[in-house]
Amino acid sequence: MLDKFRKIGVVWNHSTNQIYQPMRVASSDDHGRKLVVQVTNDSVLENTQGVELRLYWEIRDKKGFNDFELIDAEHGIYEIYFSRGMLENKGTHKAWLHATDTTGSITSEAFGIEVFKGVDLEAVEGTDDFSALNSALVRVVEIENQEEERQANETAREQAEDARTTAENTRKSAEDTRKNNEGERKTAENARESAETARESAEST
């Protein structure tokens, strides 16, 4: 849900390419905000299967890294959720992209990621109002999902019924054809027997 809404997109097309894309993320965006990176060979698309990509970051005395997930090797697209370890440190992080393949590693120019103060989830979740609202929102989502599932099941049922009706009509049509063929066969057989009787009678006279 809200897939495009949560994404920050970056293109890394050369080892010395400066990344100017402004990146701001809230400290409460736990598993919510994505960083999407497209790696190209000097703006030329190449398959990046086998190329691993990491995000390294540091702020004050804190350092960390997170591995990107390769989403589309043909177009060199990777994505990652900003980690909880990073989001816990508010302020401007110094960050680097680091790519590794079979020939070696390359690191991007440093760029900034600002983590600003978000919602204090621990404090808010302790209130009755938030708990009730959050429960209601979750219930609404559950009901919507159930309705979508019901509609999908109803559509599948209708399609199955249409298929059954079509198969039954095909069976009846085949049965009618069989009966007509059987009637024609009997008529032809009666005609043959009549002709045979007439022939025998003619031969006996």
Side-chain angles (χ1 to χ4, degrees), residues 25-34 55 57 59-60 62-67 80-91 93 115-123 125:
V25 56
S27 61
S28 54
D29 285 345
D30 188 16
H31 206 71
R33 195 75 62 95
K34 285 182 180 179
L55 173 70
W57 54 268
I59 181 171
R60 297 180 289 277
K62 305 285 186 177
K63 295 182 180 181
F65 72 86
N66 300 103
D67 292 319
I80 196 173
Y81 284 104
F82 290 106
S83 68
R84 168 50 40 193
M86 180 180 179
L87 297 178
E88 287 175 347
N89 299 284
K90 291 181 284 295
H93 293 62
V115 177
F116 59 90
K117 179 176 175 56
V119 176
D120 188 349
L121 294 177
E122 292 184 1
E125 287 180 357

Side-chain angles (χ1 to χ4, degrees), residues 116-191:
F116 59 90
K117 179 176 175 56
V119 176
D120 188 349
L121 294 177
E122 292 184 1
V124 175
E125 287 180 357
T127 68
D128 292 338
D129 289 344
F130 181 83
S131 298
L133 175 60
N134 193 46
S135 298
L137 291 175
V138 169
R139 181 57 181 158
V140 167
V141 173
E142 289 178 349
I143 292 173
E144 289 176 346
N145 290 338
Q146 290 171 358
E147 177 61 18
E148 290 178 359
E149 183 177 358
R150 187 197 65 77
Q151 290 180 0
N153 291 337
E154 178 64 17
T155 299
R157 188 196 64 76
E158 291 176 352
Q159 291 174 345
E161 178 63 19
D162 290 343
R164 188 197 65 77
T165 300
T166 299
E168 178 64 16
N169 290 337
T170 301
R171 187 195 65 77
K172 288 181 178 179
S173 178
E175 179 64 14
D176 291 341
T177 300
R178 188 194 66 78
K179 288 180 179 179
N180 290 336
N181 291 340
E182 179 65 15
E184 291 176 358
R185 187 194 66 77
K186 287 182 178 180
T187 299
E189 178 65 17
N190 291 335

Side-chain angles (χ1 to χ4, degrees), residues 3-70:
D3 198 40
K4 294 182 179 179
F5 177 78
R6 69 177 71 208
K7 288 182 179 179
I8 300 173
V10 169
V11 176
W12 186 22
N13 57 35
H14 196 276
S15 61
T16 58
N17 176 225
Q18 289 279 355
I19 297 174
Y20 297 106
Q21 171 72 29
M23 300 186 202
R24 301 183 73 248
V25 56
S27 61
S28 54
D29 285 345
D30 188 16
H31 206 71
R33 195 75 62 95
K34 285 182 180 179
L35 174 59
V36 181
V37 175
Q38 182 176 37
V39 179
T40 69
N41 187 10
D42 199 14
S43 299
V44 177
L45 290 179
E46 288 189 3
N47 194 303
T48 58
Q49 189 68 49
V51 178
E52 296 182 356
L53 187 66
R54 278 182 171 176
L55 173 70
Y56 283 86
W57 54 268
E58 64 178 41
I59 181 171
R60 297 180 289 277
D61 60 339
K62 305 285 186 177
K63 295 182 180 181
F65 72 86
N66 300 103
D67 292 319
F68 282 84
E69 179 182 359
L70 178 58

Side-chain angles (χ1 to χ4, degrees), residues 94-112:
K94 193 175 183 180
W96 300 263
L97 297 176
H98 184 79
T100 304
D101 60 14
T102 55
T103 61
S105 300
I106 193 72
T107 304
S108 73
E109 297 279 346
F111 57 93

